[in-house]
Amino acid sequence: MFGPRAALQDLSLAVPAGQSLALWGPNGAGKSTTFHAMLGLVPYQGTIRIFGEDARSVKARRMVGWAPQDLAPPDMTVGRAVRFLAELREAPVASVGAFLEPFGLAAETALPVAALSGGQRKRLSLALALLGDPQVLLLDEPTANLDPAGRTQMLDLLSGLRARGKTLFLASHRLGDVRRLCDQVALLCDGVVNRVCAAGRFGALQRRFLAPRSFMGLGTAVDWPERRCGSVASASESGLFGTRTRAVAGACSGGGEGEGKGEGKGGSSCGDG
């Protein structure tokens, strides 16, 4: 709950183990807030389960790695940052250089994190998310602000993780990233999941819900008309989710019920319309 408005409402999602889902929506749609709820960083009403465990439990948190959109550089070297977070996760790293080698950062262990380029910081964020070998990865705009070479390298890393059976939750504005990495796409708008679609049919979802428009004569942009995306009613109850929320997120096959035990409004499949 942010002021009188619920940031997420009637959110109902389930992702089988080893598959990947993209949250697709405009800025402020609730993508990052969904991740924060899964991490137990914000209060909510409803149920979020990771492999059957309550997302707020210590056991569930150990199963999840988070790569935020912007990694705030700690006042320490790359090597020290790895060892520090490894200690917090109780996942000791025998050799920092060997751990960072797949991410192209083995030679940067003595550098301050603040001295890394944007692309290097993105790769470090992913490396830190993988400490402890979590089964679920939350990836907030993993290729944002990367040059073509950096984006290709990041996509290769994520494709490899997907091939290893990691469950990926991806927030992205890049259609190419979604098609390459994800099995499903959820259209999130104003805190509501309007449709869930197979990634291969995402073009149909775009045609149905996203209308191109001209922006100041600079070309084509994406329009998110309120009448298509729907809106979220204000809620007076405390907590992040409304009382009818059924929030089953993560790599689980079953679903717990929210306080109202009602089925979420979102999550219907999209057709070719």
Side-chain angles (χ1 to χ4, degrees):
M1 183 75 65
F2 291 87
R5 182 185 178 117
L8 296 170
Q9 184 84 7
D10 292 331
L11 179 64
S12 180
L13 293 169
V15 179
Q19 291 196 15
S20 54
L21 178 137
L23 294 176
W24 181 279
N27 293 332
K31 301 186 297 295
S32 296
T33 303
T34 301
F35 288 167
H36 293 167
M38 293 177 68
L39 292 163
L41 299 178
V42 292
Y44 59 87
Q45 295 176 354
T47 303
I48 302 176
R49 295 193 179 279
I50 311 293
F51 285 101
E53 301 292 333
D54 189 296
R56 288 167 286 204
S57 68
V58 173
K59 188 173 182 180
R61 291 181 185 183
R62 292 186 184 279
M63 300 179 190
V64 180
W66 180 38
Q69 183 173 353
D70 297 306
L71 176 66
D75 186 19
M76 58 183 68
T77 66
V78 171
R80 178 56 186 149
V82 171
R83 291 195 180 280
F84 176 71
L85 288 177
E87 291 172 5
L88 288 180
R89 298 208 65 157
E90 298 180 354
V93 175
S95 169
V96 173
F99 174 74
L100 292 174
E101 181 66 35
F103 307 94
L105 297 171
E108 277 71 41
T109 56
L111 280 180
V113 174
L116 297 178
S117 68
Q120 289 174 323
R121 201 174 296 178
K122 283 280 189 183
R123 298 198 303 274
L124 177 61
S125 178
L126 178 60
L128 296 176
L130 285 166
L131 285 167
D133 196 25
Q135 297 156 291
V136 179
L137 290 175
L138 308 183
L139 308 164
D140 199 349
E141 300 286 353
T143 64
N145 303 318
L146 294 182
D147 60 28
R151 178 170 172 259
T152 298
Q153 186 174 20
M154 177 61 73
L155 289 175
D156 288 344
L157 287 169
L158 296 177
S159 295
L161 292 170
R162 184 187 182 198
R164 285 169 48 192
K166 299 292 185 185
T167 303
L168 307 183
F169 280 79
L170 178 74
S172 178
H173 289 102
R174 291 180 177 270
L175 181 57
D177 296 3
V178 170
R179 284 177 168 165
R180 179 170 176 181
L181 297 173
C182 297
D183 300 292
Q184 300 179 72
V185 184
L187 175 61
L188 186 64
C189 193
D190 286 338
V192 176
V193 173
N194 289 84
R195 291 291 187 275
V196 178
C197 195
R201 302 184 67 187
F202 188 51
L205 183 147
Q206 282 189 302
R207 292 193 301 272
R208 191 170 181 178
F209 289 94
L210 310 182
R213 61 178 173 82
S214 176
F215 181 70
M216 297 179 65
L218 298 179
T220 300
V222 171
D223 187 23
W224 296 86
E226 188 171 329
R227 64 181 178 83
R228 295 193 181 191
C229 290
S231 59
V232 181
S234 298
S236 59
E237 296 87 348
S238 60
L240 180 65
F241 295 105
T243 55
R244 295 188 63 223
T245 296
R246 176 177 176 270
V248 185
C252 59
S253 56
E257 296 296 330
E259 292 185 5
K261 298 185 179 181
E263 189 74 14
K265 294 179 182 178
S268 58
S269 62
C270 69
D272 294 327

